[in-house]
Amino acid sequence: MASPPPTVLHAEAAPVLDLLTVPQVMDRLQLGRSAVYDLLRSGQLASITLGRARRIPTHALTNFIRTRLEQDTA
């Protein structure tokens, strides 16, 4: 007797939220730790805090870069 086909559950199309660590942002921007924390402190780069850990959403990094590019071309 054949078993029934597996049920495939399709999740709602929820946006994927990737979070980066400060060292990952340092690598991507080729900046030092204090420069990244200065961007976070000044509000130029958005982040969230989970316990004692600071995380930067990838879309926040993309928005920061896009804003800087627009400022440089203006």
Side-chain angles (χ1 to χ4, degrees):
M1 184 166 173
S3 61
T7 303
V8 178
L9 299 176
H10 295 283
E12 293 288 325
V16 175
L17 185 61
D18 291 326
L19 299 174
L20 303 170
T21 63
V22 169
Q24 289 172 323
V25 173
M26 290 167 52
D27 288 342
R28 291 182 185 205
L29 295 178
Q30 294 297 297
L31 293 174
R33 181 179 223 75
S34 60
V36 172
Y37 276 107
D38 286 344
L39 293 172
L40 295 170
R41 199 173 302 110
S42 68
Q44 295 178 62
L45 184 58
S47 68
I48 61 171
T49 304
L50 302 169
R52 294 182 63 194
R54 178 77 67 149
R55 296 292 181 261
I56 298 92
T58 53
H59 70 83
L61 182 59
T62 302
N63 291 343
F64 168 75
I65 294 168
R66 184 176 295 121
T67 301
R68 293 300 295 256
L69 286 172
E70 290 171 358
Q71 288 174 353
D72 288 348
T73 59

PDB file of all heavy atoms in Angstrom, residues 22-51:
ATOM      1  N   VAL A  22      28.445  43.419  14.110  1.00  0.00           N
ATOM      2  CA  VAL A  22      29.322  44.567  13.875  1.00  0.00           C
ATOM      3  C   VAL A  22      30.559  44.145  13.077  1.00  0.00           C
ATOM      4  O   VAL A  22      30.927  44.829  12.110  1.00  0.00           O
ATOM      5  CB  VAL A  22      29.683  45.275  15.200  1.00  0.00           C
ATOM      6  CG1 VAL A  22      30.794  46.299  14.995  1.00  0.00           C
ATOM      7  CG2 VAL A  22      28.451  45.936  15.798  1.00  0.00           C
ATOM      8  N   PRO A  23      31.224  43.024  13.404  1.00  0.00           N
ATOM      9  CA  PRO A  23      32.372  42.626  12.586  1.00  0.00           C
ATOM     10  C   PRO A  23      32.014  42.362  11.113  1.00  0.00           C
ATOM     11  O   PRO A  23      32.811  42.658  10.214  1.00  0.00           O
ATOM     12  CB  PRO A  23      32.876  41.345  13.262  1.00  0.00           C
ATOM     13  CG  PRO A  23      32.472  41.511  14.690  1.00  0.00           C
ATOM     14  CD  PRO A  23      31.132  42.197  14.628  1.00  0.00           C
ATOM     15  N   GLN A  24      30.826  41.847  10.850  1.00  0.00           N
ATOM     16  CA  GLN A  24      30.411  41.632   9.463  1.00  0.00           C
ATOM     17  C   GLN A  24      30.229  42.969   8.739  1.00  0.00           C
ATOM     18  O   GLN A  24      30.620  43.101   7.577  1.00  0.00           O
ATOM     19  CB  GLN A  24      29.108  40.828   9.413  1.00  0.00           C
ATOM     20  CG  GLN A  24      29.294  39.381   9.804  1.00  0.00           C
ATOM     21  CD  GLN A  24      27.976  38.645   9.950  1.00  0.00           C
ATOM     22  OE1 GLN A  24      26.981  39.198  10.421  1.00  0.00           O
ATOM     23  NE2 GLN A  24      27.974  37.385   9.542  1.00  0.00           N
ATOM     24  N   VAL A  25      29.661  43.949   9.425  1.00  0.00           N
ATOM     25  CA  VAL A  25      29.504  45.278   8.832  1.00  0.00           C
ATOM     26  C   VAL A  25      30.872  45.914   8.632  1.00  0.00           C
ATOM     27  O   VAL A  25      31.126  46.559   7.605  1.00  0.00           O
ATOM     28  CB  VAL A  25      28.587  46.165   9.702  1.00  0.00           C
ATOM     29  CG1 VAL A  25      28.558  47.600   9.195  1.00  0.00           C
ATOM     30  CG2 VAL A  25      27.178  45.586   9.739  1.00  0.00           C
ATOM     31  N   MET A  26      31.775  45.716   9.583  1.00  0.00           N
ATOM     32  CA  MET A  26      33.136  46.225   9.447  1.00  0.00           C
ATOM     33  C   MET A  26      33.773  45.685   8.177  1.00  0.00           C
ATOM     34  O   MET A  26      34.399  46.440   7.418  1.00  0.00           O
ATOM     35  CB  MET A  26      33.980  45.817  10.665  1.00  0.00           C
ATOM     36  CG  MET A  26      33.615  46.516  11.942  1.00  0.00           C
ATOM     37  SD  MET A  26      34.362  45.758  13.430  1.00  0.00           S
ATOM     38  CE  MET A  26      36.082  45.669  12.984  1.00  0.00           C
ATOM     39  N   ASP A  27      33.618  44.391   7.926  1.00  0.00           N
ATOM     40  CA  ASP A  27      34.184  43.771   6.731  1.00  0.00           C
ATOM     41  C   ASP A  27      33.554  44.321   5.460  1.00  0.00           C
ATOM     42  O   ASP A  27      34.252  44.613   4.488  1.00  0.00           O
ATOM     43  CB  ASP A  27      33.999  42.251   6.759  1.00  0.00           C
ATOM     44  CG  ASP A  27      34.895  41.564   7.773  1.00  0.00           C
ATOM     45  OD1 ASP A  27      35.896  42.188   8.202  1.00  0.00           O
ATOM     46  OD2 ASP A  27      34.597  40.419   8.143  1.00  0.00           O
ATOM     47  N   ARG A  28      32.236  44.461   5.459  1.00  0.00           N
ATOM     48  CA  ARG A  28      31.535  44.918   4.248  1.00  0.00           C
ATOM     49  C   ARG A  28      31.854  46.366   3.912  1.00  0.00           C
ATOM     50  O   ARG A  28      31.949  46.720   2.741  1.00  0.00           O
ATOM     51  CB  ARG A  28      30.035  44.729   4.402  1.00  0.00           C
ATOM     52  CG  ARG A  28      29.662  43.270   4.396  1.00  0.00           C
ATOM     53  CD  ARG A  28      28.188  43.073   4.487  1.00  0.00           C
ATOM     54  NE  ARG A  28      27.900  41.639   4.606  1.00  0.00           N
ATOM     55  CZ  ARG A  28      26.767  41.092   4.246  1.00  0.00           C
ATOM     56  NH1 ARG A  28      25.803  41.828   3.744  1.00  0.00           N
ATOM     57  NH2 ARG A  28      26.580  39.801   4.388  1.00  0.00           N
ATOM     58  N   LEU A  29      32.001  47.210   4.935  1.00  0.00           N
ATOM     59  CA  LEU A  29      32.291  48.623   4.702  1.00  0.00           C
ATOM     60  C   LEU A  29      33.788  48.932   4.713  1.00  0.00           C
ATOM     61  O   LEU A  29      34.181  50.061   4.414  1.00  0.00           O
ATOM     62  CB  LEU A  29      31.584  49.494   5.744  1.00  0.00           C
ATOM     63  CG  LEU A  29      30.057  49.494   5.705  1.00  0.00           C
ATOM     64  CD1 LEU A  29      29.506  50.372   6.826  1.00  0.00           C
ATOM     65  CD2 LEU A  29      29.547  49.963   4.352  1.00  0.00           C
ATOM     66  N   GLN A  30      34.591  47.946   5.102  1.00  0.00           N
ATOM     67  CA  GLN A  30      36.033  48.144   5.239  1.00  0.00           C
ATOM     68  C   GLN A  30      36.330  49.312   6.182  1.00  0.00           C
ATOM     69  O   GLN A  30      37.125  50.197   5.885  1.00  0.00           O
ATOM     70  CB  GLN A  30      36.676  48.381   3.867  1.00  0.00           C
ATOM     71  CG  GLN A  30      36.610  47.174   2.947  1.00  0.00           C
ATOM     72  CD  GLN A  30      37.393  45.991   3.517  1.00  0.00           C
ATOM     73  OE1 GLN A  30      38.603  46.088   3.678  1.00  0.00           O
ATOM     74  NE2 GLN A  30      36.711  44.905   3.828  1.00  0.00           N
ATOM     75  N   LEU A  31      35.642  49.283   7.332  1.00  0.00           N
ATOM     76  CA  LEU A  31      35.823  50.287   8.376  1.00  0.00           C
ATOM     77  C   LEU A  31      36.225  49.601   9.670  1.00  0.00           C
ATOM     78  O   LEU A  31      35.992  48.409   9.840  1.00  0.00           O
ATOM     79  CB  LEU A  31      34.521  51.056   8.621  1.00  0.00           C
ATOM     80  CG  LEU A  31      34.026  51.959   7.504  1.00  0.00           C
ATOM     81  CD1 LEU A  31      32.656  52.516   7.848  1.00  0.00           C
ATOM     82  CD2 LEU A  31      35.011  53.086   7.248  1.00  0.00           C
ATOM     83  N   GLY A  32      36.774  50.384  10.573  1.00  0.00           N
ATOM     84  CA  GLY A  32      37.131  49.865  11.879  1.00  0.00           C
ATOM     85  C   GLY A  32      35.930  49.809  12.808  1.00  0.00           C
ATOM     86  O   GLY A  32      34.866  50.375  12.526  1.00  0.00           O
ATOM     87  N   ARG A  33      36.111  49.149  13.928  1.00  0.00           N
ATOM     88  CA  ARG A  33      35.054  48.964  14.917  1.00  0.00           C
ATOM     89  C   ARG A  33      34.502  50.300  15.414  1.00  0.00           C
ATOM     90  O   ARG A  33      33.284  50.502  15.471  1.00  0.00           O
ATOM     91  CB  ARG A  33      35.609  48.143  16.087  1.00  0.00           C
ATOM     92  CG  ARG A  33      34.622  47.855  17.184  1.00  0.00           C
ATOM     93  CD  ARG A  33      35.293  47.006  18.270  1.00  0.00           C
ATOM     94  NE  ARG A  33      34.450  45.941  18.727  1.00  0.00           N
ATOM     95  CZ  ARG A  33      34.158  44.814  18.093  1.00  0.00           C
ATOM     96  NH1 ARG A  33      34.667  44.589  16.912  1.00  0.00           N
ATOM     97  NH2 ARG A  33      33.365  43.917  18.608  1.00  0.00           N
ATOM     98  N   SER A  34      35.381  51.223  15.770  1.00  0.00           N
ATOM     99  CA  SER A  34      34.911  52.502  16.312  1.00  0.00           C
ATOM    100  C   SER A  34      34.146  53.299  15.264  1.00  0.00           C
ATOM    101  O   SER A  34      33.172  53.996  15.601  1.00  0.00           O
ATOM    102  CB  SER A  34      36.062  53.323  16.888  1.00  0.00           C
ATOM    103  OG  SER A  34      37.012  53.602  15.889  1.00  0.00           O
ATOM    104  N   ALA A  35      34.533  53.218  14.007  1.00  0.00           N
ATOM    105  CA  ALA A  35      33.817  53.938  12.944  1.00  0.00           C
ATOM    106  C   ALA A  35      32.401  53.386  12.782  1.00  0.00           C
ATOM    107  O   ALA A  35      31.446  54.152  12.614  1.00  0.00           O
ATOM    108  CB  ALA A  35      34.576  53.833  11.622  1.00  0.00           C
ATOM    109  N   VAL A  36      32.248  52.068  12.855  1.00  0.00           N
ATOM    110  CA  VAL A  36      30.917  51.462  12.745  1.00  0.00           C
ATOM    111  C   VAL A  36      30.071  51.862  13.952  1.00  0.00           C
ATOM    112  O   VAL A  36      28.905  52.252  13.803  1.00  0.00           O
ATOM    113  CB  VAL A  36      31.006  49.927  12.607  1.00  0.00           C
ATOM    114  CG1 VAL A  36      29.629  49.286  12.691  1.00  0.00           C
ATOM    115  CG2 VAL A  36      31.678  49.553  11.286  1.00  0.00           C
ATOM    116  N   TYR A  37      30.640  51.816  15.147  1.00  0.00           N
ATOM    117  CA  TYR A  37      29.880  52.219  16.330  1.00  0.00           C
ATOM    118  C   TYR A  37      29.526  53.710  16.288  1.00  0.00           C
ATOM    119  O   TYR A  37      28.476  54.112  16.773  1.00  0.00           O
ATOM    120  CB  TYR A  37      30.612  51.861  17.620  1.00  0.00           C
ATOM    121  CG  TYR A  37      30.364  50.432  18.032  1.00  0.00           C
ATOM    122  CD1 TYR A  37      31.346  49.457  17.895  1.00  0.00           C
ATOM    123  CD2 TYR A  37      29.131  50.048  18.538  1.00  0.00           C
ATOM    124  CE1 TYR A  37      31.107  48.141  18.258  1.00  0.00           C
ATOM    125  CE2 TYR A  37      28.878  48.733  18.904  1.00  0.00           C
ATOM    126  CZ  TYR A  37      29.871  47.789  18.761  1.00  0.00           C
ATOM    127  OH  TYR A  37      29.612  46.486  19.118  1.00  0.00           O
ATOM    128  N   ASP A  38      30.376  54.550  15.686  1.00  0.00           N
ATOM    129  CA  ASP A  38      30.043  55.963  15.513  1.00  0.00           C
ATOM    130  C   ASP A  38      28.825  56.116  14.598  1.00  0.00           C
ATOM    131  O   ASP A  38      27.954  56.950  14.856  1.00  0.00           O
ATOM    132  CB  ASP A  38      31.223  56.745  14.936  1.00  0.00           C
ATOM    133  CG  ASP A  38      32.331  56.993  15.942  1.00  0.00           C
ATOM    134  OD1 ASP A  38      32.082  56.842  17.166  1.00  0.00           O
ATOM    135  OD2 ASP A  38      33.457  57.317  15.505  1.00  0.00           O
ATOM    136  N   LEU A  39      28.761  55.329  13.528  1.00  0.00           N
ATOM    137  CA  LEU A  39      27.603  55.365  12.630  1.00  0.00           C
ATOM    138  C   LEU A  39      26.337  54.924  13.358  1.00  0.00           C
ATOM    139  O   LEU A  39      25.262  55.498  13.165  1.00  0.00           O
ATOM    140  CB  LEU A  39      27.840  54.471  11.410  1.00  0.00           C
ATOM    141  CG  LEU A  39      28.926  54.921  10.445  1.00  0.00           C
ATOM    142  CD1 LEU A  39      29.181  53.840   9.387  1.00  0.00           C
ATOM    143  CD2 LEU A  39      28.556  56.233   9.787  1.00  0.00           C
ATOM    144  N   LEU A  40      26.461  53.911  14.207  1.00  0.00           N
ATOM    145  CA  LEU A  40      25.316  53.430  14.977  1.00  0.00           C
ATOM    146  C   LEU A  40      24.868  54.482  15.996  1.00  0.00           C
ATOM    147  O   LEU A  40      23.683  54.775  16.127  1.00  0.00           O
ATOM    148  CB  LEU A  40      25.667  52.122  15.690  1.00  0.00           C
ATOM    149  CG  LEU A  40      25.961  50.925  14.785  1.00  0.00           C
ATOM    150  CD1 LEU A  40      26.528  49.772  15.601  1.00  0.00           C
ATOM    151  CD2 LEU A  40      24.711  50.505  14.042  1.00  0.00           C
ATOM    152  N   ARG A  41      25.836  55.052  16.696  1.00  0.00           N
ATOM    153  CA  ARG A  41      25.548  56.037  17.744  1.00  0.00           C
ATOM    154  C   ARG A  41      24.885  57.285  17.163  1.00  0.00           C
ATOM    155  O   ARG A  41      23.978  57.861  17.761  1.00  0.00           O
ATOM    156  CB  ARG A  41      26.845  56.416  18.457  1.00  0.00           C
ATOM    157  CG  ARG A  41      26.670  57.052  19.809  1.00  0.00           C
ATOM    158  CD  ARG A  41      27.998  57.247  20.540  1.00  0.00           C
ATOM    159  NE  ARG A  41      28.724  55.989  20.719  1.00  0.00           N
ATOM    160  CZ  ARG A  41      29.856  55.650  20.090  1.00  0.00           C
ATOM    161  NH1 ARG A  41      30.422  56.480  19.243  1.00  0.00           N
ATOM    162  NH2 ARG A  41      30.442  54.499  20.305  1.00  0.00           N
ATOM    163  N   SER A  42      25.332  57.702  15.966  1.00  0.00           N
ATOM    164  CA  SER A  42      24.798  58.915  15.348  1.00  0.00           C
ATOM    165  C   SER A  42      23.454  58.683  14.654  1.00  0.00           C
ATOM    166  O   SER A  42      22.823  59.637  14.210  1.00  0.00           O
ATOM    167  CB  SER A  42      25.801  59.464  14.338  1.00  0.00           C
ATOM    168  OG  SER A  42      25.915  58.575  13.235  1.00  0.00           O
ATOM    169  N   GLY A  43      23.045  57.421  14.549  1.00  0.00           N
ATOM    170  CA  GLY A  43      21.769  57.113  13.916  1.00  0.00           C
ATOM    171  C   GLY A  43      21.837  57.004  12.403  1.00  0.00           C
ATOM    172  O   GLY A  43      20.818  56.817  11.744  1.00  0.00           O
ATOM    173  N   GLN A  44      23.037  57.119  11.837  1.00  0.00           N
ATOM    174  CA  GLN A  44      23.185  56.985  10.391  1.00  0.00           C
ATOM    175  C   GLN A  44      22.969  55.543   9.936  1.00  0.00           C
ATOM    176  O   GLN A  44      22.576  55.306   8.797  1.00  0.00           O
ATOM    177  CB  GLN A  44      24.573  57.445   9.949  1.00  0.00           C
ATOM    178  CG  GLN A  44      24.822  58.914  10.183  1.00  0.00           C
ATOM    179  CD  GLN A  44      26.218  59.289   9.765  1.00  0.00           C
ATOM    180  OE1 GLN A  44      26.570  59.163   8.590  1.00  0.00           O
ATOM    181  NE2 GLN A  44      27.025  59.721  10.714  1.00  0.00           N
ATOM    182  N   LEU A  45      23.241  54.609  10.830  1.00  0.00           N
ATOM    183  CA  LEU A  45      23.075  53.187  10.551  1.00  0.00           C
ATOM    184  C   LEU A  45      22.189  52.609  11.648  1.00  0.00           C
ATOM    185  O   LEU A  45      22.526  52.689  12.833  1.00  0.00           O
ATOM    186  CB  LEU A  45      24.442  52.488  10.532  1.00  0.00           C
ATOM    187  CG  LEU A  45      24.483  51.017  10.175  1.00  0.00           C
ATOM    188  CD1 LEU A  45      23.876  50.756   8.801  1.00  0.00           C
ATOM    189  CD2 LEU A  45      25.921  50.512  10.208  1.00  0.00           C
ATOM    190  N   ALA A  46      21.054  52.065  11.246  1.00  0.00           N
ATOM    191  CA  ALA A  46      20.088  51.528  12.207  1.00  0.00           C
ATOM    192  C   ALA A  46      20.528  50.160  12.710  1.00  0.00           C
ATOM    193  O   ALA A  46      21.188  49.400  11.990  1.00  0.00           O
ATOM    194  CB  ALA A  46      18.714  51.421  11.557  1.00  0.00           C
ATOM    195  N   SER A  47      20.151  49.860  13.951  1.00  0.00           N
ATOM    196  CA  SER A  47      20.475  48.562  14.528  1.00  0.00           C
ATOM    197  C   SER A  47      19.450  48.205  15.586  1.00  0.00           C
ATOM    198  O   SER A  47      18.644  49.044  15.992  1.00  0.00           O
ATOM    199  CB  SER A  47      21.875  48.574  15.146  1.00  0.00           C
ATOM    200  OG  SER A  47      21.887  49.403  16.285  1.00  0.00           O
ATOM    201  N   ILE A  48      19.512  46.966  16.024  1.00  0.00           N
ATOM    202  CA  ILE A  48      18.697  46.507  17.146  1.00  0.00           C
ATOM    203  C   ILE A  48      19.632  45.880  18.168  1.00  0.00           C
ATOM    204  O   ILE A  48      20.744  45.470  17.833  1.00  0.00           O
ATOM    205  CB  ILE A  48      17.609  45.497  16.722  1.00  0.00           C
ATOM    206  CG1 ILE A  48      18.233  44.241  16.115  1.00  0.00           C
ATOM    207  CG2 ILE A  48      16.622  46.134  15.766  1.00  0.00           C
ATOM    208  CD1 ILE A  48      17.222  43.128  15.874  1.00  0.00           C
ATOM    209  N   THR A  49      19.177  45.840  19.397  1.00  0.00           N
ATOM    210  CA  THR A  49      19.953  45.216  20.457  1.00  0.00           C
ATOM    211  C   THR A  49      19.187  44.005  20.964  1.00  0.00           C
ATOM    212  O   THR A  49      18.000  44.097  21.272  1.00  0.00           O
ATOM    213  CB  THR A  49      20.195  46.203  21.610  1.00  0.00           C
ATOM    214  OG1 THR A  49      20.829  47.365  21.082  1.00  0.00           O
ATOM    215  CG2 THR A  49      21.080  45.597  22.670  1.00  0.00           C
ATOM    216  N   LEU A  50      19.855  42.880  20.997  1.00  0.00           N
ATOM    217  CA  LEU A  50      19.291  41.634  21.512  1.00  0.00           C
ATOM    218  C   LEU A  50      20.137  41.238  22.712  1.00  0.00           C
ATOM    219  O   LEU A  50      21.240  40.725  22.551  1.00  0.00           O
ATOM    220  CB  LEU A  50      19.323  40.542  20.443  1.00  0.00           C
ATOM    221  CG  LEU A  50      18.588  40.858  19.143  1.00  0.00           C
ATOM    222  CD1 LEU A  50      18.903  39.830  18.076  1.00  0.00           C
ATOM    223  CD2 LEU A  50      17.104  40.914  19.404  1.00  0.00           C
ATOM    224  N   GLY A  51      19.624  41.532  23.897  1.00  0.00           N
ATOM    225  CA  GLY A  51      20.444  41.323  25.087  1.00  0.00           C
ATOM    226  C   GLY A  51      21.583  42.316  25.054  1.00  0.00           C
ATOM    227  O   GLY A  51      21.369  43.516  25.001  1.00  0.00           O
TER     228      GLY A  51
END
